[in-house]
Amino acid sequence: MKFLKITLIILALGLTACGDSKIRKYEGPPVTSVQVHKAERKMYLLSGAKVLRQYDIGLGFKPTGHKQYEGDGRTPEGVYFIDRQNPRSSYHLSLGISYPNTADQKMAFLEGKKPGGDIFIHGRGKYNGPNKRDWTAGCIAVTDQEVEEIYAMVRVGTPIYILP
């Protein structure tokens, strides 16, 4: 009988651990747009004109200016869309940004370079380098806890305005 009780307790604890997920639920007002203000290192989630959440952000390791080509370390500027969710991100969770658009591709082509891609809003994951602020290759970084909230709130198709 004692063995059965211990087995049931272990089984219950194991099932509880399985329920611990980084994917959260959100039941508030819809996020209708995301605004990134690069100079201020702020990102806002909006529903209409109302700010639902505000975050401090990190950017590409060369934070000034619009991304022009792969490897330049810049975060793009302009109007894009959230185009995918990645629950298996190396940076905890991530939301894809639709960079490059046609204009970005043309600008890189004229420079004889590739425009790059894989620009995301993501957490820190296992990154523990010396730079706490602008350390990405062009992405927008928040804490792992914050990206869990953002991932739950922002849907694919949401416009993102990345401002200088």
Side-chain angles (χ1 to χ4, degrees):
M1 188 67 156
K2 187 174 183 178
F3 176 75
L4 180 61
K5 285 182 182 178
I6 292 172
T7 303
L8 288 173
I9 290 170
I10 291 171
L11 182 61
L13 290 173
L15 290 174
T16 303
C18 291
D20 185 18
S21 173
K22 59 187 176 183
I23 308 295
R24 298 185 190 181
K25 292 187 181 204
Y26 173 71
E27 297 181 9
V31 174
T32 57
S33 67
V34 177
Q35 283 189 14
V36 174
H37 296 252
K38 289 173 55 175
E40 296 153 17
R41 304 299 192 284
K42 296 283 185 190
M43 180 170 66
Y44 304 92
L45 306 186
L46 293 98
S47 185
K50 181 181 179 189
V51 174
L52 299 174
R53 299 283 193 282
Q54 170 184 316
Y55 304 94
D56 293 326
I57 59 170
L59 300 169
F61 59 87
K62 289 186 181 173
T64 304
H66 175 59
K67 182 166 196 63
Q68 296 179 8
Y69 54 85
E70 184 174 69
D72 69 3
R74 292 187 172 99
T75 302
E77 296 173 357
V79 180
Y80 299 94
F81 294 89
I82 300 301
D83 65 358
R84 62 202 179 279
Q85 293 181 310
N86 181 5
R88 292 180 185 88
S89 173
S90 297
Y91 298 98
H92 195 60
L93 291 170
S94 61
L95 294 168
I97 297 172
S98 64
Y99 174 88
N101 61 28
T102 304
D104 298 321
Q105 292 172 356
K106 185 176 181 179
M107 182 171 40
F109 177 77
L110 292 172
E111 294 286 324
K113 301 188 178 201
K114 296 179 182 179
D118 286 338
I119 302 296
F120 290 88
I121 298 169
H122 61 66
R124 291 185 69 84
K126 294 180 180 169
Y127 174 81
N128 56 3
N131 194 342
K132 302 288 185 206
R133 190 170 183 183
D134 298 323
W135 57 273
T136 76
C139 296
I140 299 161
V142 293
T143 68
D144 289 350
Q145 185 175 2
E146 290 169 337
V147 80
E148 288 180 11
E149 183 176 73
I150 296 162
Y151 192 93
M153 294 176 72
V154 178
R155 301 285 169 245
V156 170
T158 303
I160 177 167
Y161 302 89
I162 306 175
L163 308 168

